[in-house]
Amino acid sequence: MSMNTLGAKDLQKAFLAGAKSLEAKKEWINELNVFPVPDGDTGTNMTMTIMSAAREVAAIEEPTMENLARAISSGSLRGARGNSGVILSQLFRGFTKEIKTLDMITTTTLANAFVRATETAYKAVMKPKEGTILTVAKGMADKAVELVTETEDIVEFAEKIIAHGDYVLSQTPEMLPILKQAGVVDSGGQGLMQVMKGCLDGLLGKELDLTVEAGDLPKPQTADTRAVEEADIKFGYCTEFIINVEKSYGDREEGQFKAYLESIGDSIVVVSDDDVVKVHVHTNDPGLAIQKALTYGSLSRMKIDNMREEHQERLFKDARKGTSGQKTENDNREGAGEPRKPYGFIAVSIGEGFGEIFKGIGCDYLIEGGQTMNPSTEDMLNAIEQVNADTIYILPNNSNIILAAEQAASLAEGKNIIVVPSRTVPQGITAIINFAPDLSPEENKEVMAQEMARVKTGQITYAVRHTVIDDKEIQEGDIMGLGDHGILCVGQSVMDTALDTLKTLTDQESELITIYYGADISRETAETFFARAQEACPDCEMELHSGGQPIYYYLISVE
């Protein structure tokens, strides 16, 4: 079978086949994860990401390249979960940018799209690491460029790219020693290859069930804990518009434009995407912002709101109802009319106890999920909508959620979103505690990052599979003490392993130890462990709290 061009219907079928192929193998891909912890795994995250897009693609009755590109890009961006899911969504984003204006796809188109996909994904990752899904994607892109002069047959082209992708994937253990030690290839790369093979099966017309359920994917529960505060409105007009770029607008021009907006207002958000720039600013003279923007192109979707007037109307309505400062059941959204405030906090939490702690230190909105279910970009965007603040700090509290949070920040409109890259819940708690209202948003981010760096976290959980990591042989069911950079110890007893972990984390400079016990640990057992911890570290101040977290028997914070 040969094929020199692909139409929109071909692309639709291929994408749905790729999504179903990944879904069918997600548990197998999960098994490739190096760390044998029972949390949100690569196969699950990538599957939930692509299926979010697949539902939108399947719903298109008359496919065109443009509406397919929009569905694939938007659906995957919003549905992205975990680092692997975010990277997959960025690959789709780059790919669709290359094909969205075309009627037919050729091998040349595919080669260009592969390259653009890889470039987009690499840009999205702060410190790209080789031996991962990125390496596999780049290997296929390089092969595509090489093959474009050799064949116009898309099937032959795809088969050779996939074969090369499999080869690059087989080499990932040589690039990442931890993969070689565990005897596995990179799970994200394997997931990408599964998508590619499914797409080819779809093009070849193999009998596949391409039915995509319309129901929502499971989402972390959210809890709104916003408090009503009086808004100190320095700049009275919330001004939003889109610039349709018609003149030179590069990094230099963007920097100059942002600097100008800072001179006339605050709460500035400027997001550039090709030839479109989304702008939000609070200012006392919207005309100045508009005049400056017109020097770069035409404007659309202009919106100017008098925030002082809205604030007074809200207070008047509350006074008439006798409910000023009180929340109702319907106040679970920004549209309920709470006064805009200067800053707010969103945190990913992992248990009822931690939820109460975050509420107690001023968190506005909680996303329940964390380890067991990595929240998606859309979950983050929904949370952002619920917090009526100029600047919103997001605490991901998990290294596998940071990219989704950053992606949400880039997509959010009308608010200044700052992602504080907390990798553990204790780091997130420390970050909020050290927030200073009198500092600027960027100064606060720097202070919070510095304070988080002083926090060492230990996590006690169980192994779900056999593996070898850091020369430690781990059997299914073993108890593991995880540190910030790997496995600290392995044992058979929860309490003994927790004590060994604590001893490894502490040194002569350690001052404060906080122990959070999980849902599977009774208060009595936790107090016994706490007493033994005090004996082991008599010179440290120590606290015990119920975290209520699943999966992790104890979280231990050392500062």
Side-chain angles (χ1 to χ4, degrees):
M1 177 181 179
S2 63
M3 186 182 301
N4 289 348
T5 60
L6 295 180
K9 285 187 178 294
D10 299 317
L11 178 62
Q12 183 183 43
K13 186 175 182 180
F15 182 80
L16 293 177
K20 297 296 283 188
S21 174
L22 177 60
E23 183 184 43
K25 294 290 187 178
K26 69 178 180 181
E27 293 302 332
W28 173 59
I29 294 168
N30 283 342
E31 290 296 317
L32 295 176
N33 278 332
V34 172
F35 281 91
V37 295
D39 57 13
D41 285 336
T42 301
T44 299
N45 286 333
M46 292 183 73
T47 297
M48 297 183 85
T49 299
I50 198 172
M51 293 306 289
S52 176
R55 285 197 307 279
E56 295 190 25
V57 170
I60 298 175
E61 295 182 1
E62 296 295 333
T64 64
M65 292 298 179
E66 184 179 6
N67 61 25
L68 286 177
R70 187 184 309 114
I72 293 170
S73 180
S74 175
S76 61
L77 283 172
R78 290 180 173 275
R81 295 175 188 268
N83 294 343
S84 55
V86 171
I87 292 172
L88 182 64
S89 74
Q90 290 294 325
L91 288 170
F92 289 148
R93 183 185 183 208
F95 185 93
T96 56
K97 280 186 176 182
E98 193 67 33
I99 59 98
K100 65 183 180 181
T101 60
L102 305 177
D103 293 322
M104 302 297 291
I105 292 174
T106 65
T107 53
T108 300
T109 306
L110 287 174
N112 293 336
F114 274 48
V115 170
R116 190 162 184 177
T118 302
E119 290 174 348
T120 302
Y122 266 88
K123 287 178 182 177
V125 180
M126 189 70 71
K127 296 180 180 179
K129 183 182 293 185
E130 297 306 324
T132 65
I133 181 176
L134 290 171
T135 307
V136 177
K138 187 176 186 303
M140 288 192 287
D142 291 343
K143 188 66 174 179
V145 172
E146 175 188 323
L147 289 171
V148 76
T149 59
E150 298 179 12
T151 180
E152 294 181 355
D153 180 5
I154 288 175
V155 173
E156 179 186 358
F157 183 80
E159 288 174 340
K160 290 183 177 181
I161 287 175
I162 289 172
H164 187 70
D166 278 338
Y167 169 73
V168 176
L169 177 64
S170 72
Q171 297 304 300
T172 55
E174 303 302 319
M175 304 176 205
L176 281 179
I178 194 169
L179 294 176
K180 189 169 187 177
Q181 193 174 44
V184 295
V185 296
D186 177 68
S187 55
Q190 185 68 72
L192 179 60
M193 293 311 304
Q194 200 62 37
V195 173
M196 292 291 298
K197 291 171 183 178
C199 288
L200 179 58
D201 286 343
L203 291 179
L204 293 174
K206 292 187 178 181
E207 289 297 322
L208 301 166
D209 177 13
L210 300 183
T211 304
V212 177
E213 296 296 331
D216 291 335
L217 290 171
K219 291 183 179 180
Q221 296 178 346
T222 54
D224 185 7
T225 62
R226 293 170 296 146
V228 177
E229 293 184 4
E230 290 295 322
D232 179 16
I233 302 175
K234 181 179 179 182
F235 296 100
Y237 295 95
C238 176
T239 306
E240 297 177 83
F241 51 81
I242 290 177
I243 305 174
N244 303 299
V245 177
E246 298 167 354
K247 300 177 182 178
S248 175
Y249 187 87
D251 292 340
R252 183 172 66 87
E253 286 79 10
E254 180 173 324
Q256 291 173 344
F257 183 45
K258 287 181 177 179
Y260 179 78
L261 293 178
E262 287 173 353
S263 72
I264 64 169
D266 65 6
S267 300
I268 296 158
V269 181
V270 177
V271 179
S272 304
D273 186 5
D274 292 341
D275 55 355
V276 173
V277 181
K278 299 177 182 179
V279 180
H280 170 275
V281 60
H282 289 177
T283 178
N284 285 327
D285 194 338
L288 293 177
I290 290 172
Q291 288 173 20
K292 184 66 174 179
L294 284 169
T295 64
Y296 301 112
S298 61
L299 307 186
S300 61
R301 299 187 186 180
M302 289 184 284
K303 180 173 176 284
I304 301 173
D305 293 321
N306 186 329
M307 295 187 294
R308 293 188 180 97
E309 185 178 89
E310 290 179 350
H311 180 55
Q312 290 301 319
E313 287 179 359
R314 169 64 177 171
L315 294 180
F316 178 70
K317 289 177 181 178
D318 284 345
R320 288 190 61 185
K321 294 178 180 178
T323 59
S324 182
Q326 297 178 10
K327 288 172 35 170
T328 69
E329 186 176 339
N330 292 326
D331 284 338
N332 228 14
R333 59 189 182 278
E334 185 177 335
E338 288 189 0
R340 187 95 161 186
K341 57 184 184 177
Y343 55 84
F345 297 93
I346 295 170
V348 178
S349 186
I350 56 174
E352 185 176 347
F354 276 118
E356 291 300 319
I357 292 170
F358 275 118
K359 285 188 285 185
I361 60 177
C363 188
D364 298 275
Y365 203 93
L366 301 180
I367 301 176
E368 292 287 348
Q371 299 284 38
T372 53
M373 177 66 73
N374 295 156
S376 68
T377 297
E378 186 167 19
D379 293 322
M380 299 284 183
L381 288 170
N382 290 338
I384 289 169
E385 289 180 3
Q386 305 304 314
V387 181
N388 193 8
D390 297 329
T391 296
I392 299 174
Y393 297 87
I394 300 181
L395 290 305
N397 300 332
N398 185 309
S399 60
N400 205 34
I401 301 175
I402 293 173
L403 276 182
E406 291 175 341
Q407 186 153 279
S410 70
L411 295 173
E413 299 179 15
K415 297 171 182 175
N416 180 29
I417 310 300
I418 294 181
V419 177
V420 182
S422 51
R423 296 178 174 273
T424 65
V425 174
Q427 283 189 351
I429 292 172
T430 295
I432 296 181
I433 289 174
N434 284 279
F435 174 81
D438 56 327
L439 297 180
S440 71
E442 288 303 324
E443 287 172 334
N444 261 307
K445 181 180 180 180
E446 185 176 345
V447 168
M448 288 190 277
Q450 290 173 350
E451 293 301 320
M452 287 192 313
R454 299 177 58 249
V455 178
K456 291 184 285 187
T457 305
Q459 304 175 81
I460 313 303
T461 188
Y462 58 93
V464 294
R465 65 182 71 93
H466 168 75
T467 189
V468 178
I469 301 175
D470 298 334
D471 296 324
K472 296 181 176 67
E473 185 165 349
I474 301 166
Q475 302 294 333
E476 181 179 345
D478 282 353
I479 306 301
M480 302 180 296
L482 309 179
D484 294 319
H485 305 290
I487 295 180
L488 301 179
C489 52
V490 180
Q492 304 298 314
S493 160
V494 171
M495 191 168 297
D496 289 344
T497 305
L499 280 171
D500 289 343
T501 301
L502 176 61
K503 292 174 183 176
T504 304
L505 290 172
T506 53
D507 54 33
Q508 292 182 344
E509 296 182 358
S510 300
E511 297 176 353
L512 173 63
I513 297 172
T514 308
I515 297 171
Y516 305 92
Y517 61 93
D520 295 327
I521 298 294
S522 68
R523 177 76 188 186
E524 182 181 8
T525 301
E527 288 175 347
T528 299
F529 170 60
F530 186 71
R532 292 186 61 181
Q534 286 178 312
E535 293 175 2
C537 306
D539 297 328
C540 292
E541 182 182 348
M542 203 168 291
E543 297 178 2
L544 177 67
H545 298 283
S546 170
Q549 70 273 10
I551 293 178
Y552 289 80
Y553 302 113
Y554 294 101
L555 292 188
I556 302 170
S557 171
V558 177
E559 301 179 52

